[in-house]
Amino acid sequence: MIRPAQDSSQGYGSALALCKIDRLDSVEYSESVIKRVVPSDNVFSSGIHTINISTDFVVVDGKRRSFSLLAFFFKLRNKIFGLSNG
C-alpha cells in the first residue's frame, strides 16, 4: 500500500511524499518514503498539494504564487488598522 502525504519541508504544500506502508497492524505502524513528487512545470512551480487516482486518470493540484496589487493594499490596510487578513 502507498500513502500520499504532504511534504512541507520547503514550505506548506511544496511537494508530495509517496510512502510505502511497511507495517500496519493493531500494535505498530511504519512507513518509508519511496518517492518525493515535485512540480514539473513553470506555471505551478510553488508546490503540489494533493493527488487523486482513478482507473483512467491521475490528477494533482499545483500551487503558484502571483502578485495582486489589490490584495497588497488590503493587507497593508489591515496591518495599519489592526484588522484580520481572513
Side-chain angles (χ1 to χ4, degrees), residues 29-66:
Y29 176 84
S30 65
E31 66 182 19
S32 52
V33 176
I34 57 171
K35 177 79 174 167
R36 187 170 184 266
V37 181
V38 296
S40 63
D41 65 18
N42 291 328
V43 177
F44 297 100
S45 60
S46 295
I48 294 176
H49 189 264
T50 57
I51 185 169
N52 293 286
I53 301 171
S54 73
T55 304
D56 299 322
F57 299 100
V58 175
V59 180
V60 296
D61 67 340
K63 181 172 88 171
R64 68 179 175 180
R65 302 216 183 265
S66 62

